[in-house]
Amino acid sequence: MSDTAQSILETVRRVVGDRDGFVPLHEPEFAGNEAAYVADCIETGWVSSVGAYVDRFEKDLAAFTGVGHAVATMNGTAALHIALLLAGVKPGDEVLMPTLTFVATANATAYAGATPHFVDSESETLAVDPIALERHLAATCEMRGDQCYNRQSDARIGALIVMHAFGHPAKLDELVALCARWHIPLVEDAAESLGSSYKGKHTGQFGLIAALSFNGNKVMTTGGGGAILTNDPVLAKRAKHLTTTARVPHRWNFVHDEIGFNYRLPNLNAALGCAQLERVPEMLARKRVLAQRYEEAFAQLDGLRFLSEPQDASSNYWLCTLLLDRADVVVHEQVLEALNDADLMARPVWTLMHRLTMFANSPRADLACAEDLAARIINIPSSPNLVGPPGSGQ
C-alpha cells in the first residue's frame, strides 16, 4: 500500500470512528414517520399511483425547493426523459451534456431519440465548464434563425443538460447566459442536489425544467422515485399528463390523447418521501458537519484536497469527495482498494460517457479536464449517520 493510500485510510477511519462491519457510501436513514405513513397506505389500500401522499409529496417538495411546481415520477431517469421532451428535444437533435455524469443523463437523451453531445467539466464544481463550452460552440456550431446547429453533423442542438455533480451546484449564472446567447434550452439534472442552492436559490430553478432523483442512496429516498421541477404552470400540467399515460380525465372512461408514459410515483413511495422530506433539513445539517470534519482532517495531508462547496453556492454534500492533486491511475486504484478492503466503501467517478460502447461515436468537445478528473476523484463514506443519529449531538 502506498503512503498516500495509507494516509487516506487512516484519515477516513479517524473521521468516521469505530464502526462494526461495512460502512456504505451513502445509506438511507429511517427515523421519523416513514413506517406510520407507509402503514397508512397499506391499511387504506391506496398504494398505487393515485393517493393523498402523492399530492402531498408534490406540494411539500415544491415548497422545500421554492419552485412553482413539482411532478413526482417513478425514478429520476423518467423525470429527466420527460424534462427533455418538454424542453422541445426531438428525434435527431443533439443534447449537450457533461461526459462526467451518471449514465441516466445520456440514456434519457437516447430515449428521446436524440444524440448525446459530450462537453468538458471544470475542476472547481466538476460540472460543465462554461468557458470551454462557449469556445466549443463557437468552433463547431452556428445560428440558423433562432436555433443552434452543429455545422459538422447538421443536427439541431436541442438542449444543454447541466448536472450538479455530487450535490455541488454548477456555475449557473454563466451557463444561463450562455444558453440565452445560443438559444439553447437549459435542463438541470438536479438528481444529486436536493438541498443545494446557488446564490440563495435552490437548484432546479435556473433552467426551463429540472429533474430530481430519490434513489435509495440519495440525500432522501422514496425507494425509487424522482420528480420534475418547473416554474412554468403549462409545462407542469403537461408533465403530469404525459407521466399519467396521457389519460384524459374522466370518472370512468379510458381515453388517451397521445402517447404517454406510465411514470407516476406510487402512493406507497410518496408516503415514504413525505416522511423523509420532513427530516431533510436535519439530515443535511449532519452531512455538513461530516463534510467539515473531513475537510479539516484532510487539510493536514499533502497531495490531495477535499472538494468543498463552490463559491456562491451551498452544497448538500451528497457524496464527500477527495481530489488527488494529479492524475495517477496507480495511486487512485491503491486508495480505492485500501478503503474497500477495510470495509469503508469508496468509489471513483462514473465511467465517462464517451468511454461507454453505446456512446463511443457520439459528438464530443475536447474532454481533457474530465479525463484528468476521472483519475483523481475518490468518493468516501457520506451518510448522515456517520455523525450520529438524529438529536445525538455527536
Side-chain angles (χ1 to χ4, degrees):
M1 185 188 305
S2 69
D3 291 343
T4 298
Q6 182 66 43
S7 296
I8 291 174
L9 173 59
E10 291 173 356
T11 304
V12 172
R13 275 179 170 159
R14 188 164 64 251
V15 171
V16 305
D18 294 328
R19 303 277 162 173
D20 292 331
F22 180 70
V23 180
L25 193 67
H26 198 289
E27 63 180 326
E29 181 180 281
F30 306 114
N33 291 313
E34 290 89 351
Y37 292 173
V38 170
D40 182 49
C41 289
I42 295 171
E43 290 166 5
T44 61
W46 291 97
V47 298
S48 195
S49 57
V50 176
Y53 284 107
V54 180
D55 296 336
R56 173 182 164 182
F57 183 55
E58 290 175 333
K59 180 180 177 182
D60 291 352
L61 187 60
F64 180 83
T65 59
V67 75
H69 308 274
V71 177
T73 61
M74 61 191 293
N75 55 53
T77 308
L80 191 54
H81 178 200
I82 297 299
L84 289 169
L85 297 182
L86 294 177
V89 172
K90 297 178 174 60
D93 285 350
E94 291 177 3
V95 175
L96 302 166
M97 70 184 68
T99 190
L100 195 157
T101 188
F102 181 57
V103 71
T105 314
N107 281 346
T109 298
Y111 300 163
T115 299
H117 184 143
F118 301 118
V119 300
D120 209 4
S121 298
E122 47 90 25
S123 60
E124 181 186 0
T125 65
L126 308 185
V128 171
D129 183 337
I131 296 174
L133 178 55
E134 185 91 56
R135 187 166 56 242
H136 176 64
L137 290 173
T140 61
C141 295
E142 65 184 12
M143 297 301 299
R144 299 178 188 172
D146 62 352
Q147 302 285 308
C148 179
Y149 281 81
N150 183 338
R151 288 195 300 268
Q152 298 171 350
S153 65
D154 209 38
R156 187 179 75 103
I157 304 298
L160 166 65
I161 301 177
V162 173
M163 195 274 292
H164 304 299
F166 310 137
H168 297 294
K171 293 180 176 177
L172 286 161
D173 279 353
E174 292 92 329
L175 291 166
V176 168
L178 179 150
C179 285
R181 286 193 296 273
W182 289 89
H183 293 237
I184 299 172
L186 176 62
V187 175
E188 288 183 71
D189 183 346
E192 303 168 6
S193 64
L194 181 72
S196 298
S197 61
Y198 178 78
K199 295 187 176 179
K201 190 175 175 182
H202 197 286
T203 55
Q205 296 195 63
F206 294 84
L208 177 67
I209 198 163
L212 291 175
S213 170
F214 306 115
N215 189 37
N217 65 350
K218 294 300 192 293
V219 168
M220 61 153 280
T221 185
T222 58
I228 299 160
L229 303 180
T230 183
N231 283 315
D232 187 323
V234 176
L235 289 183
K237 183 177 180 180
R238 182 148 169 73
K240 185 167 289 190
H241 184 61
L242 283 177
T243 57
T244 317
T245 67
R247 183 186 176 191
V248 178
H250 192 277
R251 288 175 61 195
W252 56 80
N253 284 334
F254 288 84
V255 177
H256 308 264
D257 59 4
E258 61 182 310
I259 295 175
F261 304 88
N262 191 13
Y263 280 177
R264 289 289 281 164
L265 183 72
N267 199 50
L268 200 64
N269 299 81
L272 191 62
C274 288
Q276 287 270 286
L277 196 54
E278 290 172 351
R279 300 184 47 249
V280 163
E282 183 270 329
M283 289 192 288
L284 288 173
R286 283 187 286 135
K287 286 177 66 61
R288 289 189 69 84
V289 170
L290 178 63
Q292 183 179 5
R293 291 179 183 177
Y294 274 137
E295 185 168 19
E296 292 172 354
F298 281 107
Q300 312 303 316
L301 271 61
D302 294 328
L304 72 154
R305 67 180 174 93
F306 180 78
L307 187 67
S308 302
E309 61 193 5
Q311 185 178 2
D312 296 323
S314 176
S315 297
N316 64 10
Y317 286 103
W318 169 52
L319 291 184
C320 292
T321 304
L322 303 178
L323 269 178
L324 301 177
D325 285 351
R326 63 184 183 85
D328 189 321
V329 175
V330 174
V331 171
H332 191 250
E333 286 296 307
Q334 288 175 341
V335 173
L336 291 167
E337 183 176 19
L339 288 169
N340 284 288
D341 284 351
D343 282 339
L344 296 165
M345 187 177 179
R347 75 179 192 194
V349 73
W350 317 276
T351 298
L352 299 179
M353 293 300 99
H354 71 281
R355 293 178 177 172
L356 297 178
T357 302
M358 60 280 199
F359 301 124
N361 296 320
S362 296
R364 69 183 73 163
D366 180 356
L367 304 173
C369 185
E371 295 269 9
D372 178 69
L373 288 170
R376 296 169 55 204
I377 290 172
I378 299 165
N379 295 129
I380 54 179
S382 307
S383 304
N385 63 21
L386 294 176
V387 293
S392 68
Q394 294 183 18

